[in-house]
Amino acid sequence: MPQTGLIVRVAEAEPHVAHLRDRFHPVAKLGVPAHITVLYPFMPPERIDRDVVQRIQDAIAGIAAFPFTLGVVGRFPATAYLAPEPAAPFIALTQSLAQAFPDYPPFGGEFETIIPHLSVAHGSASDADTAQAELSQALAEKGPIHSVCSAVVLLENASGVWKQMQVFPLAPSPAADGPPR
């Protein structure tokens, strides 16, 4: 069944996590880049028209680009992830879009709390254990990953492979001129 989702792509994380995502996260092989999910699942791609695109733009219009760091490894039972700091701007993005599209709650309404994260391993606790150990070691050796959230990306998988459908830039921000140091 064709799906869509709204994400923040984190290109700076790819060199650090691509090898782990390829081993331990099935969606990596389907074209999903390293990302922080903003709203998934979203509406079927055939329902996305100019009005929906405008509603997405309106929902994020007041949110400015912001720097963030990925330096902490987190866990869900079968998932290892990198937690963005600060998390609050990602939560605000999710809440704004969920308010604009109440029929599409984050993660289908499965969880009460929004926990922004960049999934690296997903599916089994043992794979997540391995990925967690490797991520922790890499962060200890190389330090955190710095990035700037400057856009929300709409992905779709109508063909079975996830592809970029639309990019929604966030408002410019002087604080987003560079990554935190």
Side-chain angles (χ1 to χ4, degrees):
M1 170 192 239
Q3 296 178 310
T4 62
L6 292 154
I7 66 164
V8 170
R9 188 174 188 166
V10 187
E12 295 83 358
E14 288 289 352
H16 305 274
V17 301
H19 67 288
L20 293 170
R21 291 182 75 246
D22 286 344
R23 285 172 43 207
F24 300 125
H25 203 322
V27 299
K29 292 179 178 155
L30 298 176
V32 178
H35 70 282
I36 296 166
T37 301
V38 178
L39 190 59
Y40 174 84
F42 195 49
M43 66 180 60
E46 65 273 7
R47 293 199 43 220
I48 296 176
D49 58 15
R50 284 187 214 160
D51 184 50
V52 170
V53 167
Q54 187 61 54
R55 286 172 57 201
I56 294 169
Q57 289 173 330
D58 292 347
I60 66 172
I63 300 173
F66 57 91
F68 66 96
T69 301
L70 296 167
V72 175
V73 180
R75 278 295 298 272
F76 301 129
T79 303
Y81 64 85
L82 291 171
E85 294 176 342
F90 291 102
I91 295 169
L93 274 171
T94 297
Q95 290 172 329
S96 184
L97 285 160
Q99 185 176 11
F101 298 94
D103 291 341
Y104 301 96
F107 295 100
E110 187 177 345
F111 308 104
E112 284 186 32
T113 306
I114 298 167
I115 301 174
H117 60 282
L118 188 152
S119 293
V120 177
H122 179 72
S124 85
S126 101
D127 287 349
D129 288 343
T130 301
Q132 179 180 16
E134 290 185 34
L135 277 171
S136 295
Q137 182 177 351
L139 288 172
E141 291 172 3
K142 299 176 184 172
I145 300 163
H146 301 285
S147 188
V148 174
C149 175
S150 59
V152 172
V153 177
L154 175 62
L155 295 180
E156 60 85 13
N157 73 347
S159 69
V161 175
W162 289 89
K163 297 179 182 176
Q164 182 174 294
M165 195 172 182
Q166 180 100 23
V167 176
F168 300 92
L170 297 180
S173 170
D177 286 340
R181 298 286 175 213

